[in-house]
Amino acid sequence: MNQEVESVGPENASSRCGFVAIVGRPNVGKSTLLNALLGRKVSIVSPKPQTTRHRILGILNRDNLQIVFVDTPGLHSNERRAMNRYMNRAARASLADADVNLFVVEALTWTDEDQRVLEYLKNCGRTIVLIVNKVDTIYPKERLLPYMLEMQHKTQFAAIVPLSGLKRDGLEQLPALLAQYLPESPPHFPVEQYTDRSELFRATEIIREKLTWRLNQELPYGITVQIERFEAQEGRLVINAIIWVERAGQKAIVIGQGGERLKEIGRASRLEIKAMFRKPVHLELWVKVKENWSDSEAALRQLGFE
Ligand code: GDP
Ligand code: MG
């Protein structure tokens, strides 16, 4: 391994590579920011908290620079269910390992949960860059100034960057800024790679995203998706997936009047999976009940939460 590094040659002497964890309480726009930075969707997004359940890598490749972003489930205080404990573990493991922690907050907002995330980050002792996100919602922009000043007193941030992940505004300088804090190193991943996740995982997540958008506020946490069949067949992709819910009543909600909601979820999922893999897709969805899966460590493991 060392030998390989040495044989790369002097033109790569100043190449940098490292890990940047994107952290913050749920719903501040972490996954949206990651997708905006990469210019493609690697992590699903929804208006509901706790959409991101896993640690997902998004890899940005530039000349002599590879930034491995780690999208994390939001750190949250409620550890009542096994699912929530799993998500917090996934988030914490990522921050401790990162070269830089990108701490995302919502412009003009500071909650107890933000404070708790900050305390945790301070303990990690890594470089912290503060992202003041969603500035597209603030008029006039001068209203940000006192807030930015207040943020400077929270701790020693390496930088404070106002931006809008949704509008892709203010992102241009961010990779170069982060590069300063990354070690000199050749790329960890092949430079054409932009995520560590398999096609099957990404298809699973897209189905879950479409579900999340079409369901009521309470329901999404009790839902997960498991793909049972994922096969290339005569130039098309054949996918069979199960939507697991926790109660029979939830099953009826997911299916909807005359099966309309499930049909719509299937249609939207199929279109996006087709666009992502540039192949026709045949998708079949079933809804099944597994009681209290999100509170059972065993069920979580069975459903792929390591
Ligand atoms: P996460 O839970 O931190 O990963 O947040 P998401 O990326 O899933 O976004 C949560 C919600 O905030 C979604 O409805 C996004 O569309 C919205 N959002 C994210 N970034 C921005 C932004 O820059 N401006 C505005 N107005 N909304 C945003
Ligand atoms: Mg997210």
Side-chain angles (χ1 to χ4, degrees):
M1 182 68 198
N2 273 343
Q3 222 141 20
E4 255 174 64
V5 172
E6 276 158 20
S7 69
V8 169
E11 69 276 16
N12 281 326
S14 64
S15 129
R16 285 175 191 270
C17 177
F19 287 86
V20 175
I22 307 180
V23 261
R25 71 178 156 84
N27 234 24
V28 290
K30 298 178 294 297
S31 300
T32 304
L33 175 61
L34 175 62
N35 294 336
L37 282 163
L38 299 189
R40 54 172 108 213
K41 182 144 123 194
V42 297
S43 195
I44 62 169
V45 167
S46 94
K48 289 153 197 165
Q50 307 189 14
T51 302
T52 308
R53 289 176 176 171
H54 307 266
R55 174 178 157 282
I56 292 172
L57 300 189
I59 304 161
L60 181 77
N61 292 293
R62 294 270 170 91
D63 287 343
N64 290 321
L65 173 65
Q66 180 173 77
I67 306 182
V68 184
F69 290 101
V70 189
D71 189 16
T72 63
L75 273 177
H76 44 85
S77 332
N78 177 2
E79 290 215 327
R80 202 166 47 82
R81 291 187 301 180
M83 181 73 201
N84 296 75
R85 290 193 291 275
Y86 166 84
M87 293 199 296
N88 270 346
R89 271 202 304 277
R92 290 203 185 104
S94 322
L95 335 182
D97 292 344
D99 297 296
V100 178
N101 282 316
L102 212 55
F103 175 27
V104 184
V105 295
E106 269 178 25
L108 305 194
T109 308
W110 184 264
T111 68
D112 291 347
E113 250 180 327
D114 291 320
Q115 184 64 38
R116 272 196 289 275
V117 176
L118 177 64
E119 294 306 327
Y120 194 81
L121 286 176
K122 287 204 288 201
N123 278 329
C124 290
R126 304 296 169 124
T127 301
I128 311 173
V129 171
L130 181 70
I131 300 295
V132 175
N133 195 22
K134 308 197 182 182
V135 299
D136 56 290
T137 61
I138 309 299
Y139 303 102
K141 291 283 177 276
E142 289 73 43
R143 288 178 58 212
L144 280 169
L145 291 176
Y147 179 81
M148 304 273 287
L149 284 173
E150 189 191 325
M151 291 301 112
Q152 283 181 10
H153 298 293
K154 298 279 181 202
T155 191
Q156 186 71 43
F157 294 118
I160 301 181
V161 184
L163 56 78
S164 165
L166 187 67
K167 304 283 189 229
R168 302 187 179 193
D169 191 11
L171 299 175
E172 303 73 26
Q173 309 298 325
L174 195 55
L177 180 118
L178 294 171
Q180 299 173 52
Y181 304 102
L182 301 182
E184 282 192 11
S185 157
H188 294 321
F189 293 91
V191 295
E192 67 281 1
Q193 194 175 337
Y194 59 89
T195 183
D196 64 327
R197 291 296 182 161
S198 66
E199 293 192 337
L200 185 143
F201 175 86
R202 291 163 67 208
T204 310
E205 288 281 278
I206 285 173
I207 299 167
R208 198 161 61 77
E209 182 186 68
K210 302 309 168 209
L211 268 162
T212 306
W213 278 87
R214 282 166 182 79
L215 295 173
N216 302 324
Q217 202 67 26
E218 312 78 58
L219 210 45
Y221 317 125
I223 285 197
T224 200
V225 176
Q226 183 182 31
I227 289 183
E228 283 205 312
R229 181 169 175 216
F230 190 88
E231 276 171 23
Q233 223 179 53
E234 293 158 8
R236 63 177 195 162
L237 208 51
V238 178
I239 304 176
N240 295 355
I242 302 174
I243 298 170
W244 288 106
V245 297
E246 297 195 298
R247 287 188 296 279
Q250 296 177 333
K251 179 170 169 173
I253 294 174
V254 171
I255 293 173
Q257 283 277 325
E260 273 310 308
R261 184 176 281 137
L262 187 61
K263 228 181 280 170
E264 177 50 30
I265 290 164
R267 201 185 68 89
S269 305
R270 188 170 49 74
L271 288 177
E272 192 165 326
I273 295 169
K274 178 180 165 202
M276 180 176 267
F277 300 129
R278 300 196 183 87
K279 270 184 210 153
V281 171
H282 177 82
L283 173 65
E284 282 180 33
L285 295 177
W286 281 275
V287 186
K288 294 189 185 175
V289 181
K290 185 186 293 234
E291 274 180 25
N292 298 327
W293 68 266
S294 72
D295 196 24
S296 150
E297 303 273 357
L300 282 173
R301 270 194 301 280
Q302 217 183 336
L303 291 170
F305 296 88
E306 302 284 318

